[in-house]
Amino acid sequence: MCVETQPGDFGPPRDEREMAAVADIMMQSYAMSPADIGAWMQRASRPDLRLLREGGEVAATLVLIRMGQWYGGRSVPVIGVGGVGVSPVHRGRGTATRLMQHLLREARATGAPLSVLYPATQPLYRRVGYEHAGTRQEIRIQVPSLDFSERTLSLRPIEEKDSQAIVLSYQRHARHRPGWLDRGDFSWGRVRNMRGEVAHGYLVEGRAGVEGYLYVIRRPLKDFKQELFLTDVVAHTPAAARRILSFLGDHRSLATDVCWYGGVDDPLLLLLREQTYSVKLYMHWMVRVLDVASALEARGWPEGLSGTLHLDVEDDLFPENQGRFVLEVSDGQARVRRGGDGGLRMHVRQLAPLYTGHLSAESLRAMGALEGDDASVRAASSLFSGAPPSLRDMF
């Protein structure tokens, strides 16, 4: 249950003194070194920083990140939240809850129907309406097991002139991966330069043009060995996938493992001869539905599937989300109107994992997260079905 609290003074930093306060809060919240906080402050755009001031002091801070997430083949505008920190002397007073309530009001006012974040702690974000909505999985392969010898496609270093082709290649791949980011400059910056680690990019080309690419950071280990960390990897064809795996296998004399992030259904794993890999949960990410009607209409839906679902939603922060809605799906699109009999009843928090496809209506009902008759639950399970939502990017 989200409890309404008194407003504070919320907005971007006003001067260098407040920027220094942000740096101090981040250092103490995340045990960051002076070098790390310097790099973080360079990446965090000043207009996207938000502060909560209480008693004339900067009490808390966060970063607002404008981007999109792919659902049903359509990019849904989202507000990402990162760098949430509270001054040590302001903790235990509900400061973080007030900070997030202000952020959510601003995010809804921008027109974004969703907000997404990685939680350092879950109770805070659940209080303001976020819930688990997908996973970020660590995928790790033993390099000596990559015994591929695909050489029919060209592989060369990525150049500046390839930037647009790389973005289009990523979008072509990501649009079919529920939850993946429709990246903006912030996210692409992390792909190419992660906390000061420069990633080397390689493009795979065939007769039809770009067939795949990867960005790799070589991290030193003991005894001259190294780990290959991929900030991004995309393959559109089997030949491109094998060429990428061949390239990684060519590092076997020095590299022990190759690691990247994604989902449990990563297609590259299908090509491996043996299960010489691990897929391990890194973290659940959380979504907050800011505008029920807009969120349902913004995403794509399965082609050839039609149906109607009656929802009854509770929301402690946004009265506009309260009440009954009728969702009508047809031809890959949805229309939402007020009314209906409210056959499926839930808090807006439980709408998040249903919306993304992270949990089925049956699973949510079994855990007491929603109420509904069998017909409504079956309809919801069909309409929201799809591949498991995942995320490659951290923010």
Side-chain angles (χ1 to χ4, degrees):
M1 178 73 66
C2 172
V3 179
E4 187 72 17
T5 56
Q6 292 298 315
D9 184 359
F10 178 82
R14 294 170 178 158
D15 51 35
E16 293 305 317
R17 180 186 65 83
E18 291 193 337
M19 289 292 288
V22 169
D24 183 68
I25 289 173
M26 292 302 295
M27 288 179 68
Q28 298 197 61
S29 295
Y30 295 98
M32 298 172 76
S33 69
D36 287 342
I37 192 59
W40 186 89
M41 294 294 287
Q42 285 186 345
R43 288 197 309 271
S45 171
R46 185 164 178 164
D48 294 331
L49 284 169
R50 293 294 181 271
L51 314 181
L52 181 65
R53 306 171 186 88
E54 295 188 338
E57 299 177 343
V58 177
T61 183
L62 57 77
V63 180
L64 177 155
I65 308 165
R66 296 170 178 85
M67 50 193 179
Q69 275 188 294
W70 295 98
Y71 293 108
R74 294 177 66 181
S75 176
V76 179
V78 301
I79 297 296
V81 183
V84 177
V86 177
S87 166
V89 298
H90 287 85
R91 294 175 187 169
R93 306 179 188 178
T95 303
T97 300
R98 291 190 289 276
L99 174 74
M100 290 304 301
Q101 288 174 340
H102 280 289
L103 178 278
L104 290 172
R105 292 191 186 95
E106 179 180 351
R108 180 183 164 92
T110 68
L114 301 176
S115 176
V116 61
L117 54 76
Y118 286 101
T121 177
Q122 294 184 165
L124 161 64
Y125 300 112
R126 282 177 166 156
R127 279 198 298 273
V128 295
Y130 288 86
E131 190 48 270
H132 287 181
T135 65
R136 186 180 194 232
Q137 305 282 341
E138 181 197 77
I139 301 165
R140 184 173 291 272
I141 301 176
Q142 299 169 22
V143 171
S145 71
L146 297 176
D147 54 351
F148 294 83
S149 57
E150 171 66 56
R151 310 291 174 190
T152 60
L153 297 180
S154 165
L155 185 146
R156 63 170 176 81
I158 290 174
E159 303 173 19
E160 184 64 32
K161 65 181 177 64
D162 301 317
S163 295
Q164 185 59 28
I166 294 293
V167 170
L168 292 175
S169 177
Y170 169 78
Q171 289 178 342
R172 175 184 167 192
H173 182 72
R175 69 184 306 120
H176 302 295
R177 310 284 295 176
W180 279 37
L181 296 187
D182 187 2
R183 291 173 177 155
D185 291 342
F186 180 90
S187 297
W188 275 111
R190 285 183 63 94
V191 167
R192 296 167 179 138
N193 191 322
M194 181 176 287
R195 295 184 178 178
E197 294 181 288
V198 177
H200 293 88
Y202 299 91
L203 191 69
V204 178
E205 294 176 304
R207 292 181 179 179
V210 175
E211 294 193 24
Y213 69 88
L214 73 158
Y215 283 92
V216 59
I217 294 172
R218 297 170 175 86
R219 290 174 171 168
L221 303 173
K222 289 195 253 172
D223 300 324
F224 303 105
K225 296 296 184 180
Q226 59 186 244
E227 174 187 279
L228 306 179
F229 175 66
L230 309 184
T231 61
D232 203 8
V233 55
V234 165
H236 298 298
T237 64
R242 290 192 299 268
R243 183 68 186 93
I244 288 170
L245 293 173
S246 297
F247 172 75
L248 296 171
D250 290 343
H251 290 72
R252 64 177 56 87
S253 62
L254 290 175
T256 59
D257 291 13
V258 55
C259 171
W260 70 91
Y261 289 93
V264 294
D265 57 344
D266 194 297
L268 283 176
L269 301 180
L270 186 65
L271 299 183
L272 302 184
R273 179 180 300 179
E274 301 287 354
Q275 294 185 25
T276 51
Y277 59 84
S278 65
V279 181
K280 182 174 68 175
L281 175 67
Y282 175 79
M283 190 180 291
H284 284 95
W285 39 275
M286 305 179 85
V287 160
R288 210 295 183 184
V289 178
L290 302 171
D291 187 318
V292 171
S294 294
L296 293 169
E297 291 182 341
R299 60 160 293 162
W301 298 85
E303 294 286 346
L305 183 65
S306 61
T308 300
L309 189 62
H310 292 240
L311 303 172
D312 190 344
V313 180
E314 179 184 353
D315 192 329
D316 311 300
L317 186 61
F318 297 120
E320 301 91 335
N321 285 336
Q322 287 270 116
R324 294 182 173 183
F325 300 85
V326 178
L327 167 67
E328 298 173 322
V329 174
S330 180
D331 298 324
Q333 299 186 57
R335 302 185 109 187
V336 180
R337 58 180 170 84
R338 282 285 185 174
D341 58 23
L344 206 64
R345 300 174 295 281
M346 71 194 80
H347 192 275
V348 72
R349 185 159 67 85
Q350 278 72 51
L351 181 57
L354 181 66
Y355 178 93
T356 66
H358 177 59
L359 291 173
S360 69
E362 286 96 340
S363 297
L364 290 165
R365 184 172 66 171
M367 293 298 101
L370 60 77
E371 298 177 356
D373 57 84
D374 289 344
S376 295
V377 169
R378 284 196 300 269
S381 294
S382 295
L383 292 173
F384 289 99
S385 64
S390 61
L391 264 174
R392 170 159 293 168
D393 298 272
M394 195 72 180
F395 52 86

